[in-house]
Amino acid sequence: MHLKTCKCLQNNRFMSKLKLFFIGILCGIIHTSCTNDTTIDPVIPSAIIDTSKAYEAFGVSYGDDDKQEFDLYLPANRTVATKTIILVHGGGWRAGDKSDMEPIKLLISNEIPDVAIVNMNYKLADDDNPPYPMQINDITRVVDFLKDNQTKYSISEDIGFIGTSAGAHLALLWSYAFDSNRKVDMVCSIVGPTNFTDPSYLNNTDPTVQGLLDLFEIGTDTGFLEEVSPFHQVTASAPPTILFYGGQDPLIPTSQGIDLRDKLQNLGVTHEFTLYENEGHGWDGLALLDTWTKLDAFIKLYL
């Protein structure tokens, strides 16, 4: 009886972490973040960091802007073969914070303890600063930073991405169009936009959706819309991709996931796709457990 009670408590804690993760997705849709992140200025030695111990650094700067920072988590007993998962938060390109991804960071640390994790912030868009190419450039800066510090951190150049909502769009686009050295081993999109030429977007009448799309100047020429759309940038050499979408999502039409799935299949790209027919822009319960179970297996298989 005692053992059963312990297992129930463990499951409850596990589900609580998962629920917090998807609350973070929804929080990022509003104009301000749900939480305030406290930056800790770390003292990072220039010499190789002891690989026998786990290492954490918060607020690591990769640029001049206050938002150009990430939190770093290195596992104990790492080697030059240790790969890194980069987390990219959502928030409609103009809001959100790396703290929104903290629950999934905890899940990865607990369930896949041999990988390094980077939980990144990026410069947020506004009327004067569109998300593209600004936020893609920030991802490039992070990847370059990790490469430059590969010896100090004792990690591989190989990386994976997990993005939610707008962060999933950025993760897909960077993996498909900007990974010139082919170092991305896997990418995950959770409710991420994939195609700005989709009629569901171009002909939408929802002011909330349109407000997000206006950041990308959706009225511009088709060539630009294709340039910022993972659907139009993906090729047969794309990394293994796992996709999760909600059938009742008010922000992301189901065609965004389904069309990319079909294109990945036609190109022969390794992929998995899950559509939760009755879920929206985030979910909980058994659907949430199913998401983590599939994502966990996918990371262990391809990263």
Side-chain angles (χ1 to χ4, degrees):
M1 186 69 177
H2 175 69
L3 179 60
K4 184 176 181 181
T5 300
C6 289
K7 287 183 177 179
C8 288
L9 289 173
Q10 290 173 348
N11 287 337
N12 287 338
R13 285 195 292 268
F14 182 75
M15 291 303 294
S16 294
K17 290 178 183 177
L18 285 169
K19 177 174 280 190
L20 282 171
F21 170 47
F22 276 91
I23 289 173
I25 295 178
L26 294 173
C27 286
I29 295 305
I30 61 176
H31 292 291
T32 57
S33 174
C34 285
T35 58
N36 293 320
D37 183 58
T38 301
T39 298
I40 301 173
D41 293 326
V43 177
I44 304 178
S46 57
I48 296 175
I49 298 170
D50 184 358
T51 58
S52 68
K53 300 177 181 178
Y55 177 83
E56 298 181 356
F58 304 97
V60 180
S61 175
Y62 66 89
D64 297 330
D65 191 271
D66 289 344
K67 277 294 186 181
Q68 291 177 308
E69 64 173 31
F70 62 80
D71 297 338
L72 174 68
Y73 306 87
L74 301 177
N77 302 313
R78 62 191 174 279
T79 70
V80 292
T82 297
K83 300 181 180 181
T84 302
I85 294 177
I86 299 176
L87 307 180
V88 190
H89 70 79
W93 301 282
R94 62 188 175 194
D97 186 84
K98 56 185 170 63
S99 59
D100 299 335
M101 301 295 280
E102 183 69 13
I104 196 169
K105 189 281 295 182
L106 292 172
L107 284 168
I108 296 170
S109 295
N110 291 334
E111 302 297 319
I112 317 175
D114 59 342
V115 301
I117 303 171
V118 165
N119 190 9
M120 67 172 288
N121 270 347
Y122 49 86
K123 289 185 289 187
L124 300 177
D126 56 35
D127 291 340
D128 298 319
N129 298 283
Y132 180 86
M134 178 176 69
Q135 292 167 352
I136 287 295
N137 290 341
D138 277 358
I139 294 178
T140 300
R141 281 175 174 263
V142 170
V143 173
D144 288 346
F145 186 100
L146 295 176
K147 181 180 179 181
D148 292 342
N149 289 275
Q150 179 184 359
T151 300
K152 180 171 70 174
Y153 293 151
S154 299
I155 55 175
S156 166
E157 286 187 56
D158 291 314
I159 56 177
F161 280 100
I162 299 174
T164 61
S165 195
H169 161 259
L170 296 172
L172 287 172
L173 185 59
W174 199 93
S175 298
Y176 292 168
F178 294 90
D179 180 24
S180 56
N181 294 321
R182 300 298 178 196
K183 294 299 182 180
V184 178
D185 290 340
M186 57 77 56
V187 58
C188 169
S189 167
I190 301 174
V191 297
T194 66
N195 182 11
F196 292 124
T197 66
D198 187 335
S200 295
Y201 274 157
L202 294 179
N203 303 324
N204 89 88
T205 58
D206 187 314
T208 300
V209 172
Q210 191 58 46
L212 297 174
L213 299 179
D214 284 345
L215 289 171
F216 281 93
E217 301 175 350
I218 289 302
T220 58
D221 66 277
T222 301
F224 175 77
L225 300 183
E226 292 180 352
E227 183 178 343
V228 298
S229 297
F231 174 84
H232 291 287
Q233 296 302 314
V234 66
T235 66
S237 61
T241 301
I242 185 167
L243 308 168
F244 299 96
Y245 289 85
Q248 306 301 317
D249 193 328
L251 298 170
I252 311 298
T254 56
S255 54
Q256 295 287 295
I258 291 172
D259 290 351
L260 181 57
R261 175 204 64 187
D262 292 347
K263 188 164 187 179
L264 291 170
Q265 184 162 338
N266 291 336
L267 290 170
V269 175
T270 299
H271 67 282
E272 291 184 16
F273 172 81
T274 301
L275 177 65
Y276 301 105
E277 293 283 358
N278 298 318
E279 305 295 347
H281 200 67
W283 41 85
D284 56 18
L286 292 178
L288 190 52
L289 181 59
D290 180 72
T291 298
W292 173 247
T293 300
K294 290 176 178 175
L295 179 54
D296 178 42
F298 197 84
I299 293 170
K300 290 174 178 174
L301 185 59
Y302 294 108
L303 186 67

